[in-house]
Amino acid sequence: MIKLPLFRNRLQNIFDCFGKSIIMDEAFSKGKILVNINDIARLAGVSKATISRVLSRSPHVNESTRKRIQKIIDDNGFEPSHLARNLSRRKSQTIGIVIEDIANPFFISISSEIEKILYEKKYNMMISSSQWNRDKELEIVQSMIRSSVDGFIIAPISPDSEAVALLKRTGRPFILMNTFSEDPDVNYVSTDDIEGGKLAARHMYSRLRKDEKIILVTGYEHQNLSRRMEGFFLYMESKGIERDQITHYRNINTYNDGLAIVPTILMRSKLKSNKASIFITSDDIAMALQEGLLQNGRTLPEDIRIIGYDNIEFSRRCRIPLTTVEQSQKDIGIIAAMELLELINNPLKEVKQYLLPPRLILRDSNP
Amino acid sequence: MIKLPLFRNRLQNIFDCFGKSIIMDEAFSKGKILVNINDIARLAGVSKATISRVLSRSPHVNESTRKRIQKIIDDNGFEPSHLARNLSRRKSQTIGIVIEDIANPFFISISSEIEKILYEKKYNMMISSSQWNRDKELEIVQSMIRSSVDGFIIAPISPDSEAVALLKRTGRPFILMNTFSEDPDVNYVSTDDIEGGKLAARHMYSRLRKDEKIILVTGYEHQNLSRRMEGFFLYMESKGIERDQITHYRNINTYNDGLAIVPTILMRSKLKSNKASIFITSDDIAMALQEGLLQNGRTLPEDIRIIGYDNIEFSRRCRIPLTTVEQSQKDIGIIAAMELLELINNPLKEVKQYLLPPRLILRDSNP
DNA sequence: TTGAAAGCGTTACCAG
DNA sequence: CTGGTAACGCTTTCAA
């Protein structure tokens, strides 16, 4: 019977051996497979401090011994443990991304921009979605803290959600994304959604026909949406169209919600006979409405004109390419990543608050 | 001048203090902010072993002291470091996902299925894309090894890419996804692509009109694609249509490639006057072709009929909803995750090789 | 039920 | 340029 201080672990180590070709006979004879810095040190006949130096490309190591050691490292397929390294260095080289929905094309393109930059700067990313649930959002942030992420990019459910408060309170580096904050100490990058709402309204108004219905469709009660709505209403008011003349369908959150509301809209707004212009505060839902209306035999854009919001990749590829208000996912991603990296390296850097300008994109759905 | 053994780290720790509300005065007076297991132990007047026990819900701890300690933990917002925990436990509760393109809707839906299961089982996931580059694929796997992931789900560029070989050689748990392997020791979950190609061919053949051109459009040379092509050709041959009667456009990899090839197809296959049926081995590219053909004034599906492959979420929402061969992203994701988790917990478990049946989905593009 | 102490695999300080 | 060694923050064994 083998008797070792940490027997269980050793056993696991031995288990791991199945299917491996063994390079380090010496280590193997001791029932050990995974190579670590000590093994390499012993093999090279130097101290592990030296190995550590070649691992981190320190200049303070003789060129010839560096080469010799590097060869031993390569030959044995030694991969230094980031766990140990990070524990020792007190940083993990990973940053946490918290978004609302990982399947949302809008966030996907932002994330992929972020990833490019982080990859370049040798950072990893950890990504998780809150599903518009405040508890889950908090849980995610806590879990990321346990994982020792170096900083956060978070699209919070609200700028004063508990998760954000926790980040603030514990002084961890973070950037708010797609949300703006009244707090002058908080870094954020967002789009000027009031302006965005106005852009949509102005275009819609310029194309408005006689007796045409104006319809507004919105999703989750979120700061962004309120601002888009607000801008929309403000412009319309400036043209003498009051809020009660605009039919408002709320809480249409998913593609399927969008499909499901179509019969109601058709009936309530009497769209069988009337023409209409619809502003929908997200492209994803806009596509659902479009689909539903087409299925119900309406012709677009002749009968019903649609304006969306976001300009996701797919907006130009859907049934009737969407006229929409663009938020540049590329810019948001790049700025968020760059700012966070700076913030991590210099916690005293000045606060930056970006409110990016939206842009109207004309396509067939409301030409 | 402060003199401490690890001065730089302490300094960083002090830096971190800005903007924090301080709970632990004692620790603070020592220039220390981040609470750790020792602080809690000291505060509770017990050893850190006991703290560790309440953290891991060990039954061997007095109920009253457990409660007392838990309160101290909560009050101080102590989040145990997973870095340290994982280093000590020799596992990370993280699994690595390696795919070819993170922006590909097909992989996105698979990943989100995987995430659901992992979340439930308290695992984290780390995801990265190889961009069809073998070197990058290997790099990613190495980096994940350094991050001590417990296992891999990999959609490899080829079943015998270096990355897979490395995984095999070092005996790490992994599941191949979207690829099958001749090696009887390798776990995989994939779709029967030969059958898929046949399904497409059978449907196309059944709708074929007189003098209609048959066109095949394929992307990256990948095992999957070859098999889809193979199935397609086999069925056609069984009906007396030889390979040289089928025009084949290769290496169409991205949406933009798809748009770009349209003029060539129109010209080379004389589609201005001829009718045609096209099989494209991915929905994403199928949508691009569709778009390009529409822009060139062809009417679909009257002039040209299209069959895609994958059945991604968007296939039913694009310009002309796509007839396509479905690979169930949900099934693939669920099976891959479950199998890997089992494999991690029991390295000796029997090998499972899944070849899931594809399914033809009829929509407007080739009704 | 508890505590002491030996790990886990690195890094970084100090001395030589 | 190199080595010895404390430290990082936990878990696990063993003994009490």
Side-chain angles (χ1 to χ4, degrees):
Chain A
M1 160 98 185
I2 314 174
K3 173 89 171 142
L4 282 171
L6 289 169
F7 178 67
R8 283 237 294 273
N9 297 326
R10 294 284 172 166
L11 189 64
Q12 166 131 22
N13 208 332
I14 291 167
F15 260 144
D16 287 348
C17 150
F18 288 103
K20 285 188 194 181
S21 68
I22 308 310
I23 301 170
M24 295 191 51
D25 289 346
E26 183 202 0
F28 179 58
S29 69
K30 299 166 72 175
K32 184 170 190 315
I33 303 328
L34 279 46
V35 236
N36 64 21
I37 201 173
N38 291 305
D39 302 323
I40 302 294
R42 197 157 9 85
L43 246 41
V46 298
S47 78
K48 61 179 174 179
T50 302
I51 307 295
S52 177
R53 286 189 194 99
V54 349
L55 287 179
S56 41
R57 316 199 182 298
S58 153
H60 308 298
V61 47
N62 187 299
E63 192 50 39
S64 69
T65 65
R66 168 198 301 290
K67 276 198 182 130
R68 194 167 54 83
I69 291 174
Q70 189 59 56
K71 177 155 168 42
I72 298 181
I73 289 175
D74 294 341
D75 287 352
N76 290 282
F78 166 54
E79 303 285 355
S81 158
H82 279 7
L83 246 42
R85 159 176 302 179
N86 294 339
L87 181 60
S88 185
R89 284 192 179 155
R90 278 160 218 74
K91 52 185 179 182
S92 61
Q93 290 290 113
T94 87
I95 77 126
I97 317 279
V98 187
I99 58 188
E100 283 148 327
D101 181 16
I102 207 167
N104 185 151
F106 179 72
F107 286 120
I108 289 173
S109 25
I110 291 182
S111 310
S112 88
E113 287 305 325
I114 295 178
E115 196 212 12
K116 277 182 213 157
I117 293 182
L118 295 184
Y119 182 78
E120 197 172 287
K121 306 276 188 188
K122 307 275 181 209
Y123 272 79
N124 292 111
M125 81 187 214
M126 176 172 271
I127 189 165
S128 205
S129 47
S130 62
Q131 300 298 338
W132 294 275
N133 177 330
R134 296 174 94 104
D135 292 338
K136 193 170 176 205
E137 185 181 78
L138 181 59
E139 235 176 62
I140 289 171
V141 168
Q142 286 172 328
S143 147
M144 287 180 170
I145 290 178
R146 286 194 286 272
S147 300
S148 316
V149 302
D150 296 335
F152 295 80
I153 294 177
I154 172 170
I157 293 168
S158 140
D160 39 48
S161 71
E162 282 207 46
V164 178
L166 176 63
L167 257 17
K168 255 190 243 182
R169 181 153 44 80
T170 58
R172 292 185 159 83
F174 71 97
I175 307 278
L176 253 41
M177 177 170 76
N178 228 32
T179 299
F180 88 119
S181 166
E182 307 281 0
D183 186 335
D185 293 334
V186 168
N187 292 275
Y188 65 75
V189 44
S190 186
T191 305
D192 187 343
D193 284 311
I194 293 195
E195 183 56 26
K198 286 183 183 170
L199 281 180
R202 182 184 313 146
H203 178 69
M204 181 185 286
Y205 185 80
S206 75
R207 299 292 191 271
L208 220 52
R209 292 158 294 186
K210 206 162 176 301
D211 292 329
E212 187 165 326
K213 299 267 182 188
I214 297 180
I215 298 175
L216 175 64
V217 177
T218 58
Y220 284 102
E221 290 297 335
H222 185 288
Q223 191 207 53
N224 289 339
L225 296 196
S226 318
R227 291 166 60 83
R228 289 170 203 178
M229 275 171 48
E230 198 49 34
F232 186 79
F233 283 138
L234 282 176
Y235 184 90
M236 286 302 186
E237 280 169 356
S238 78
K239 295 296 179 181
I241 298 176
E242 298 305 321
R243 299 186 184 214
D244 57 12
Q245 300 173 47
I246 298 173
T247 319
H248 187 174
Y249 298 88
R250 294 163 197 275
N251 247 9
I252 313 302
N253 302 316
T254 65
Y255 188 85
N256 286 332
D257 288 355
L259 281 180
I261 195 74
V262 167
T264 313
I265 296 182
L266 284 172
M267 196 166 59
R268 185 119 56 92
S269 298
K270 304 200 183 61
L271 292 198
K272 290 288 178 196
S273 45
N274 285 305
K275 293 190 186 302
S277 274
I278 313 184
F279 175 42
I280 302 147
T281 53
S282 111
D283 281 354
D284 202 51
I285 313 296
M287 287 184 230
L289 283 195
Q290 183 179 275
E291 181 68 32
L293 291 168
L294 287 171
Q295 280 173 11
N296 277 275
R298 308 299 328 205
T299 56
L300 277 53
E302 292 73 11
D303 296 340
I304 299 166
R305 293 175 174 165
I306 288 181
I307 301 179
Y309 206 103
D310 285 345
N311 193 31
I312 58 179
E313 167 66 16
F314 236 90
S315 308
R316 63 184 172 107
R317 296 165 57 176
C318 59
R319 292 276 225 142
I320 316 284
L322 275 178
T323 285
T324 188
V325 177
E326 176 184 62
Q327 309 190 64
S328 167
Q329 289 124 80
K330 188 164 180 179
D331 292 349
I332 294 177
I334 292 177
I335 293 174
M338 301 291 268
E339 286 292 326
L340 181 60
L341 258 26
E342 270 188 50
L343 188 60
I344 287 172
N345 293 317
N346 172 18
L348 301 177
K349 105 178 222 314
E350 62 165 335
V351 176
K352 286 271 187 64
Q353 314 197 125
Y354 294 85
L355 211 54
L356 306 177
R359 195 163 64 105
L360 185 73
I361 311 277
L362 289 185
R363 297 205 191 88
D364 296 349
S365 76
N366 189 334
Chain B
M1 162 97 184
I2 315 174
K3 173 89 171 143
L4 281 169
L6 287 170
F7 179 65
R8 283 237 294 275
N9 297 325
R10 293 284 172 165
L11 188 66
Q12 165 132 21
N13 208 329
I14 290 168
F15 261 143
D16 285 348
C17 149
F18 289 102
K20 284 188 190 182
S21 69
I22 309 309
I23 301 171
M24 294 189 54
D25 289 345
E26 182 202 1
F28 178 56
S29 68
K30 297 166 72 177
K32 183 171 191 318
I33 304 326
L34 279 47
V35 239
N36 65 22
I37 199 173
N38 291 306
D39 301 324
I40 302 294
R42 197 155 11 82
L43 247 41
V46 298
S47 79
K48 62 179 175 178
T50 304
I51 308 293
S52 175
R53 288 192 190 97
V54 350
L55 288 178
S56 40
R57 317 198 183 297
S58 152
H60 307 298
V61 47
N62 187 301
E63 192 49 38
S64 68
T65 66
R66 167 197 302 289
K67 276 198 183 129
R68 194 167 56 82
I69 290 174
Q70 189 59 56
K71 179 158 167 37
I72 298 180
I73 289 175
D74 294 340
D75 287 351
N76 289 281
F78 167 55
E79 303 284 356
S81 157
H82 278 181
L83 244 43
R85 159 175 301 178
N86 294 339
L87 182 61
S88 183
R89 285 193 180 156
R90 281 159 216 73
K91 51 183 179 181
S92 63
Q93 290 289 114
T94 301
I95 77 125
I97 317 279
V98 187
I99 58 188
E100 282 148 328
D101 180 16
I102 206 168
N104 185 150
F106 179 73
F107 286 121
I108 290 174
S109 19
I110 292 183
S111 310
S112 88
E113 287 305 324
I114 295 178
E115 196 212 11
K116 279 182 211 156
I117 293 180
L118 294 185
Y119 182 78
E120 198 172 285
K121 305 277 187 187
K122 307 273 180 210
Y123 271 80
N124 294 110
M125 80 188 214
M126 177 173 270
I127 189 164
S128 207
S129 47
S130 62
Q131 300 297 338
W132 295 275
N133 177 330
R134 295 173 94 104
D135 292 337
K136 194 170 176 203
E137 184 181 80
L138 181 59
E139 236 176 62
I140 289 171
V141 168
Q142 287 171 328
S143 149
M144 286 179 169
I145 290 177
R146 287 194 285 271
S147 300
S148 315
V149 302
D150 296 336
F152 295 79
I153 295 176
I154 173 169
I157 293 168
S158 142
D160 40 47
S161 70
E162 282 207 44
V164 177
L166 176 63
L167 258 19
K168 253 190 242 179
R169 181 155 41 82
T170 58
R172 293 186 158 83
F174 70 98
I175 306 278
L176 254 39
M177 175 169 79
N178 230 32
T179 299
F180 89 118
S181 168
E182 308 280 2
D183 186 335
D185 294 333
V186 168
N187 292 275
Y188 65 76
V189 44
S190 187
T191 305
D192 187 343
D193 284 310
I194 293 194
E195 182 58 25
K198 286 184 183 168
L199 281 179
R202 181 184 314 145
H203 177 68
M204 180 186 284
Y205 184 81
S206 75
R207 297 292 190 274
L208 219 52
R209 293 159 294 187
K210 207 164 175 298
D211 292 328
E212 188 165 325
K213 300 266 181 187
I214 298 181
I215 298 175
L216 174 64
V217 178
T218 58
Y220 285 100
E221 290 297 334
H222 185 288
Q223 189 205 57
N224 288 339
L225 296 195
S226 317
R227 291 166 60 83
R228 289 170 204 176
M229 276 170 47
E230 198 50 32
F232 186 79
F233 283 138
L234 282 176
Y235 185 89
M236 287 303 185
E237 279 170 356
S238 78
K239 295 296 178 182
I241 298 177
E242 298 305 322
R243 299 187 185 213
D244 57 12
Q245 300 173 47
I246 298 174
T247 319
H248 187 177
Y249 298 87
R250 294 162 198 274
N251 246 9
I252 313 300
N253 302 316
T254 65
Y255 189 83
N256 286 331
D257 287 355
L259 282 180
I261 195 74
V262 168
T264 312
I265 296 183
L266 284 171
M267 196 168 59
R268 184 119 56 93
S269 298
K270 304 201 183 62
L271 291 198
K272 290 288 180 195
S273 45
N274 284 307
K275 292 189 186 302
S277 275
I278 313 183
F279 175 43
I280 302 147
T281 52
S282 111
D283 281 354
D284 203 49
I285 313 295
M287 288 184 229
L289 282 195
Q290 183 178 273
E291 181 67 33
L293 291 168
L294 286 171
Q295 280 172 10
N296 277 276
R298 308 297 334 208
T299 56
L300 277 53
E302 291 74 12
D303 296 339
I304 298 165
R305 292 175 175 166
I306 288 180
I307 301 179
Y309 206 103
D310 285 346
N311 192 30
I312 58 179
E313 167 66 17
F314 235 91
S315 308
R316 61 184 173 108
R317 296 164 58 178
C318 59
R319 293 275 225 141
I320 316 284
L322 274 177
T323 286
T324 188
V325 178
E326 175 184 64
Q327 309 190 64
S328 168
Q329 290 126 77
K330 188 164 180 176
D331 291 350
I332 294 177
I334 292 177
I335 292 174
M338 301 292 268
E339 286 292 327
L340 180 60
L341 259 25
E342 269 188 52
L343 187 61
I344 287 172
N345 293 317
N346 172 18
L348 301 177
K349 104 179 224 314
E350 61 165 335
V351 175
K352 286 270 187 64
Q353 314 196 125
Y354 293 86
L355 211 54
L356 307 177
R359 195 163 65 106
L360 185 73
I361 310 277
L362 289 184
R363 298 207 189 87
D364 295 350
S365 76
N366 190 335

